[in-house]
Structures are given as structure tokens and as C-alpha cells.
Amino acid sequence: MATRLVQINMKAQDDAALGRFWAAALGWGIDSEGPGVTNLEPVGNAYPDPAAVCIDIIARPEPKTVKNRVHLDLATTSTAHQAELVARLKELGATAVDVGQGDVPWTVLADPEGNEFCVLEPRAIYRDTGPIAAVVVDCADPREMARFWGEAMDWTLHEVTDDHASLRSAQGVGPYLEFLRNSDPKSGWNRVHLDVSPYPDDDPAAEAARLRALGATDPGIDQSAISWTVLVDPEGNEFCILSPR
């Protein structure tokens, strides 16, 4: 058994407006499964397709108050493309932010609801990822996160050091999942989190049990009214196990 990363879940006070921003930013299509839910995926995508990690934006009234522990890195193909993308994103409503990055070759922006993301300088490793180069998770111990997520999913571990770890779909397509060492403590529920899905023939309950044995824990909330399972990884980051598709 194994899971695969299929989407990220992002909370927003205005899911439709934030969905329009990210759809324009990525060149993706917009759909909705109901009020307060905006789904983003590449046009023509056959979800779940490892070539893309999709985005679900869910309406929640609480405002963003702290730096997100999960963010997106966007890929570029040249320095000119990077400059053009940054300018276009600002026209769409993004703003420059300082998260202590110092003098770096990438640009840190925030979307219209304050969610941080990076527009990377061109890097060969991301030349075939699509518009999202990586989904990045801040953590205290990249090695432990690589151990857990490497066993939780069937993705391939590409690099692991004391400061950084990266995984990618075993099919060699789509964005990377990266863990970066960060000493900031987790504060409250993450407004952006990972959603994983078992394969169609797998039992979600058995998969949840397997992930608990690897080090996941239950968040202590009432889950009787939802069809998915919410767990917490070894560093306290919430994630959801969706129904197999």
C-alpha cells in the first residue's frame, strides 16, 4: 500500500477570488464542487495525474496571522521569464514580502490573502515540473520528514541532508515535495496542508493505520461528519487522506 500527493488544501476568506488569482498565475482551469470550494487543476488534467499537484481552496472566515509552513515555489525558464512572471503576478494582486530571505536570487511574494510563495530563478532541476517547481514544507528535521513521507508515499527520495530533503513522483513528472529546515515553531492549524490519496484498490482505513504506525497521529477532532481522514505528521502538520480515485 502507498499514498500519493494529489493536491494541496488552502484556506481562504474568499475562495473564489483567490482561485481566480492562482488560476491566472498558473494558467490552470477553475472548477467548484459547491459553495466555498474552488478547485484548480491544469486544463485537460485527468485527476489524479502525477504530472500535477492540484489546489483545493476552501472558504474559512479566520484571517491569516502567521507565516505559512507550506508554500509553493514557481518555476521559471530564464531570468527574463522570472522578471516577467513577477511583474505579471504583481499585476494580478501579489505583493513583495520579506520573510528574512536576505539577498537571494529568487523573489518572495504573497498572494492577495497573504500566502507566501517564491518565484525561483531558472534551475535545471525544475525544467520539466510545470508551473509549480515544488511544494515546500518548513520543518525542524528534514531527515525525519523524509523518512516519514518517503514511507507514507510511493514517491522517490532524491536528496536528504540535515537542511533539505526532496521527493518526487516515481514517474519522474510533476513538482517536487521539499522539506526545508526552519527553526520557527508551528503555531495553530496550518492554512495550507497536503492531501494524499491511496490507490483505487487500497483500503483507506488500512492506509490510515499504516501511516499511524509510521508516526502519524490523530489531531483529536470530531471527524464523524467527513468522508476523509485527517492525520498529523511527526512534526504536527495536518494532512488529509482522501478517498481512492
Side-chain angles (χ1 to χ4, degrees):
M1 294 192 298
T3 64
R4 57 261 167 87
L5 178 61
V6 294
Q7 64 189 32
I8 65 167
N9 182 295
M10 184 182 298
K11 303 298 186 293
Q13 293 185 299
D14 187 338
D15 63 289
L18 194 61
R20 289 191 294 271
F21 169 84
W22 279 106
L26 301 173
W28 285 7
I30 301 178
D31 196 6
S32 177
E33 56 196 73
V37 181
T38 298
N39 311 115
L40 306 179
E41 60 184 39
V43 176
N45 178 71
Y47 177 93
D49 183 338
V53 173
C54 299
I55 301 175
D56 256 15
I57 304 178
I58 309 298
R60 288 292 297 268
E62 303 88 355
K64 180 179 182 291
T65 58
V66 297
K67 177 179 175 291
N68 289 336
R69 293 183 67 78
V70 181
H71 74 263
L72 297 180
D73 280 354
L74 304 188
T76 63
T77 57
S78 67
T79 53
H81 179 213
Q82 182 185 16
E84 291 165 1
L85 181 56
V86 168
R88 184 170 67 84
L89 292 167
K90 288 181 177 178
E91 290 178 358
L92 291 171
T95 54
V97 294
D98 185 349
V99 294
Q101 67 267 27
D103 184 15
V104 294
W106 59 89
T107 301
V108 184
L109 299 175
D111 70 20
E113 291 219 4
N115 300 298
E116 304 86 3
F117 66 97
C118 299
V119 180
L120 302 180
E121 77 284 4
R123 302 182 192 182
I125 191 173
Y126 302 132
R127 66 183 180 276
D128 62 349
T129 60
I132 299 176
V135 179
V136 183
V137 182
D138 290 347
C139 64
D141 188 345
R143 290 187 182 276
E144 171 59 11
M145 293 291 272
R147 189 236 16 119
F148 172 79
W149 285 102
E151 294 182 51
M153 303 194 302
D154 63 355
W155 282 27
T156 300
L157 182 64
H158 282 259
E159 178 186 2
V160 58
T161 70
D162 289 343
D163 296 316
H164 175 262
S166 66
L167 300 90
R168 196 185 192 192
S169 166
Q171 297 186 34
V173 296
Y176 288 78
L177 174 63
E178 300 184 351
F179 299 97
L180 293 182
R181 180 178 292 279
N182 187 301
S183 60
D184 295 338
K186 182 175 183 290
S187 176
W189 279 70
N190 290 343
R191 288 183 66 81
V192 182
H193 70 249
L194 309 181
D195 283 347
V196 300
S197 175
Y199 285 86
D201 293 334
D202 289 341
D203 177 3
E207 187 61 25
R210 186 182 73 86
L211 296 183
R212 291 185 186 97
L214 292 174
T217 54
D218 292 284
I221 60 172
D222 181 6
Q223 302 191 40
S224 60
I226 58 176
S227 60
W228 56 92
T229 300
V230 183
L231 293 176
V232 176
D233 74 16
E235 290 211 3
N237 300 299
E238 303 84 14
F239 67 95
C240 294
I241 304 174
L242 306 182
S243 300
R245 291 182 60 179

